[in-house]
Amino acid sequence: MNIFAPNYYVQSFKTLNIQKLHEMGIQLLLCDIDNTLVAYDEECPNQDVIDFINKLKMNGIEVALCSNSPSSRGKNFGKHLPVSNIYPFSCKPFPFCFKKAMRDHGLKANQIAILGDQMYTDILGGNIWGLYTILTAPIAIKDRNITKVFRFFEELIYGYLEKKKLLKRGDFDD
């Protein structure tokens, strides 16, 4: 498997098959914030995000936020949500957030999934550490400048993964 290829690809967090995660034994979902749950310039979670997290929890899946955003962004966003932990400035794909989440929740990598919109941070980091990786299409077109650079390289990887039939954009699971 290519380390940039996600295990699961969804159009939006709203279309994520939560029952499938539960049946797989996933007990914790690490959620990126910016362009995964909301646009990067939205300060607070909207009702769709709140409903999504509540639905996960009703299905026995804890939720923690794992974002490369500054601490103030992660903490301000997370205070509005029933999440178990907030890992701001997590430096994905480096191991800090992933190892801390495993330790904090007393879980093994195969019991944790990560949901994010970037291959170079969320998917790469999750795959390196053995988490179940879920790539979502970005919510908004606008990004931070550094993210725009990564998006350029992601397009190259998308092309490669599509050619190798490891990923097909527009072909989303339920």
Side-chain angles (χ1 to χ4, degrees), residues 67-171:
S67 174
N68 283 352
S69 293
S71 292
S72 58
R73 164 77 168 139
K75 289 176 183 174
N76 288 337
F77 189 85
K79 73 181 178 185
H80 300 283
L81 296 169
V83 295
S84 60
N85 287 82
I86 302 166
Y87 303 105
F89 196 63
S90 58
C91 300
K92 296 174 290 184
F94 296 107
F96 317 116
C97 166
F98 306 115
K99 289 171 76 172
K100 187 158 177 39
M102 285 184 236
R103 220 177 19 253
D104 289 350
H105 294 86
L107 298 172
K108 296 179 180 165
N110 66 351
Q111 297 171 301
I112 303 172
I114 183 165
L115 171 67
D117 66 303
Q118 292 187 59
M119 288 180 171
Y120 278 95
T121 57
D122 309 303
I123 304 307
L124 175 61
N127 281 339
I128 289 171
W129 290 97
L131 279 58
Y132 186 77
T133 54
I134 307 163
L135 180 65
T136 184
I139 286 180
I141 295 171
K142 59 185 176 177
D143 272 316
R144 288 185 175 88
N145 288 335
I146 187 65
T147 306
K148 289 177 186 177
V149 172
F150 285 115
R151 296 277 186 221
F152 171 79
F153 291 106
E154 280 185 356
E155 280 302 313
L156 298 174
I157 292 173
Y158 271 115
Y160 171 80
L161 293 176
E162 287 175 331
K163 184 178 177 184
K164 295 289 185 182
K165 299 187 186 326
L166 294 171
L167 178 71
K168 183 177 177 186
R169 280 186 280 197
D171 185 23

Side-chain angles (χ1 to χ4, degrees), residues 19-52:
Q19 185 61 36
K20 176 181 175 179
L21 295 180
H22 178 73
E23 290 169 1
M24 292 173 53
I26 298 297
Q27 295 181 35
L28 174 66
L29 180 64
L30 296 174
C31 288
D32 179 49
I33 298 172
D34 297 330
N35 268 340
T36 297
L37 297 177
V38 296
Y40 85 91
D41 56 356
E42 289 182 54
E43 292 183 27
C44 298
N46 55 41
Q47 192 61 48
D48 287 337
V49 173
I50 294 166
D51 293 345
F52 171 66

